[in-house]
Amino acid sequence: MRMVSWISVCLLSFSIGFCEEEVPKTADPNASEMTRKIVSYFHELTQRSEKKLLSGQFLGWYPNVTMQPVEEIFQTSGKHVAIIGIDYYETILDAATLTEPVKEKPPRWRELNPLIKEYWKAGGLTTLSIHMTNPWTGGKAWDEPGRWEDLDDPQTPAGKAYRQQWKMIADGLEDLQKEGVVILFRPFHELDYAFWWRGLPPERIQKLWREMFHYLTQERQLHNLVWVYNGGRLRYPGNAYVDLNSSDYYAKTPTVAKAQYEALLSTGKPFAIGEFGPPGAWNDNTSPRNYDYSKFAEETLRAGSGIVYFLAWRDSWGMHRNPGVKELLNDPRVVNREDLQKELFSKEK
């Protein structure tokens, strides 16, 4: 892999607004060597004219998570996506009794980590989101929140449930760390408008983020995480707690990312499209499944040259359900798993 030089990093200041040192800092000062290498790699991608945008596909919800979307994409394009998307939680809104327990559903890391490890060994990355169980109701992430002060007190039922979830999530991340797997970690996603953490006052979400960061990196000694913030500038927790910025878009074109990208440009962090879904319902039986992905790379990079990856969302939004994927994944600007094998996972440096 071509390492980042002092000169090349300083040149980056003209495109994403920073020039600090030879190798970009990781949010976690004790990040593993491979975590640092991946963060540096993302910064390097922002300088390229080709091979600069990693492809990604979400695999679906537990208990129906398989590599099938990736394999279908490969059959169409001859390429494996660089990144798979996994979520530790179940979010089937109309089928709460599908798996046990009905309430207080735990993170399913024991069932899902094998897929993450499999893709890592094959030379691919994983981005992990967590639709955390609502700590007040024990129900879905979409449930209404209760008193925010409850989360500050470990003696309240909600405070206890909240901390227990983080313990279990950390157990899953620790299992991955033991095998050297680095995760693109995207907690509290869509925090400006969705789920029980939606619309929190800036100081409240910043406090939750920093507490979570310290718990995972210091108390649990997890140093295999690339920290991916998923929200607007107002609630940004600070450069010391973030490696990449991102936002989610369900729209006709990824060019809508331009405003959010520019709003976060001054942080000096690369940017990602954390989720993308084209127009149409999520249900395979009603969505048109006619979105043309062939120009997706061009339109994404038109929104911002510092955008380094995208993740197509599930089912009928996915690349495996729509045309133009062969053209997209063979676009000279796109990085696939085959490229990562050479650039990140090769023994040659």
Side-chain angles (χ1 to χ4, degrees):
M1 169 185 172
R2 181 170 60 87
M3 298 304 292
V4 182
S5 68
W6 182 85
I7 293 175
S8 64
V9 171
C10 284
L11 287 174
L12 189 59
S13 63
F14 292 100
S15 60
I16 64 172
F18 89 105
C19 181
E20 295 182 353
E21 57 183 37
E22 183 174 352
V23 178
K25 290 181 179 179
T26 51
D28 175 9
N30 297 311
S32 70
E33 181 180 355
M34 191 60 179
T35 304
R36 293 175 183 275
K37 184 177 181 180
I38 290 171
V39 171
S40 292
Y41 176 68
F42 280 131
H43 278 278
E44 183 187 356
L45 293 181
T46 66
Q47 304 168 68
R48 296 182 179 183
S49 58
E50 294 188 351
K51 293 297 179 185
K52 63 186 280 93
L53 178 68
L54 275 68
S55 58
Q57 176 63 53
F58 185 67
L59 298 188
W61 302 124
Y62 178 85
N64 301 312
V65 186
T66 71
M67 289 292 183
Q68 182 178 350
V70 171
E71 293 307 319
E72 290 185 20
I73 291 169
F74 176 76
Q75 292 301 320
T76 299
S77 67
K79 304 290 184 180
H80 290 95
V81 293
I83 301 172
I84 57 170
I86 294 281
D87 196 290
Y88 270 171
Y89 284 82
E90 306 168 42
T91 60
I92 300 176
L93 299 179
D94 56 355
T97 60
L98 183 63
T99 60
E100 294 297 335
V102 174
K103 291 284 189 178
E104 309 293 348
K105 289 184 180 291
R108 305 287 183 169
W109 65 265
R110 289 181 178 82
E111 295 82 1
L112 298 174
N113 276 8
L115 289 174
I116 297 173
K117 294 174 184 178
E118 174 188 343
Y119 218 65
W120 175 264
K121 290 177 181 177
L125 299 174
T126 296
T127 176
L128 178 67
S129 56
I130 46 172
H131 283 75
M132 295 176 70
T133 295
N134 185 297
W136 291 275
T137 69
K140 299 293 186 183
W142 285 263
D143 282 2
E144 291 293 325
R147 294 176 63 253
W148 292 111
E149 294 77 10
D150 293 343
L151 300 189
D152 296 330
D153 185 354
Q155 302 306 315
T156 65
K160 182 177 180 180
Y162 177 72
R163 286 163 176 78
Q164 179 61 22
Q165 283 193 77
W166 276 115
K167 179 185 181 303
M168 292 187 287
I169 292 166
D171 290 344
L173 297 173
E174 184 178 58
D175 175 67
L176 295 170
Q177 179 169 258
K178 288 176 180 176
E179 297 195 23
V181 179
V182 177
I183 289 293
L184 310 180
F185 189 52
R186 190 171 64 103
F188 294 127
H189 64 293
E190 300 178 6
L191 59 82
D192 289 324
Y193 54 85
F195 314 113
W196 59 257
W197 52 82
R198 64 187 173 275
L200 275 172
E203 63 277 6
R204 169 61 66 173
I205 190 61
Q206 290 164 356
K207 180 175 183 290
L208 283 181
W209 184 284
R210 292 166 185 169
E211 289 174 346
M212 164 195 63
F213 181 92
H214 288 302
Y215 171 69
L216 294 179
T217 61
Q218 297 182 16
E219 186 170 340
R220 294 301 298 268
Q221 291 292 300
L222 296 172
H223 304 304
N224 61 327
L225 306 177
V226 175
W227 289 83
V228 183
Y229 172 72
N230 192 244
R233 190 67 177 89
L234 184 63
R235 295 177 174 84
Y236 186 71
N239 276 7
Y241 304 92
V242 174
D243 291 309
L244 269 72
N245 293 316
S246 70
S247 194
D248 299 351
Y249 303 98
Y250 291 83
K252 293 180 180 179
T253 170
T255 56
V256 297
K258 183 177 178 63
Q260 193 84 305
Y261 169 82
E262 292 181 346
L264 289 162
L265 199 61
S266 63
T267 66
K269 309 292 183 178
F271 191 89
I273 295 180
E275 298 177 19
F276 181 80
W282 62 267
N283 191 308
D284 273 337
N285 295 322
T286 59
S287 176
R289 292 188 286 179
N290 60 0
Y291 182 78
D292 184 0
Y293 271 103
S294 63
K295 301 296 183 182
F296 191 84
E298 176 184 338
E299 294 176 351
T300 297
L301 294 171
R302 191 187 308 157
S305 62
I307 298 178
V308 293
Y309 78 78
F310 70 90
L311 186 78
W313 205 238
R314 65 186 181 96
D315 299 333
S316 57
W317 285 319
M319 287 189 283
H320 59 309
R321 295 287 183 259
N322 289 277
V325 174
K326 181 177 181 180
E327 292 83 355
L328 170 60
L329 296 193
N330 284 278
D331 187 302
R333 290 162 289 199
V334 172
V335 178
N336 299 304
R337 192 180 77 182
E338 291 79 6
D339 303 303
L340 289 184
Q341 289 173 330
K342 300 175 183 177
E343 297 196 343
L344 277 179
F345 292 89
S346 173
K347 293 182 180 180
E348 297 180 3
K349 295 184 179 180

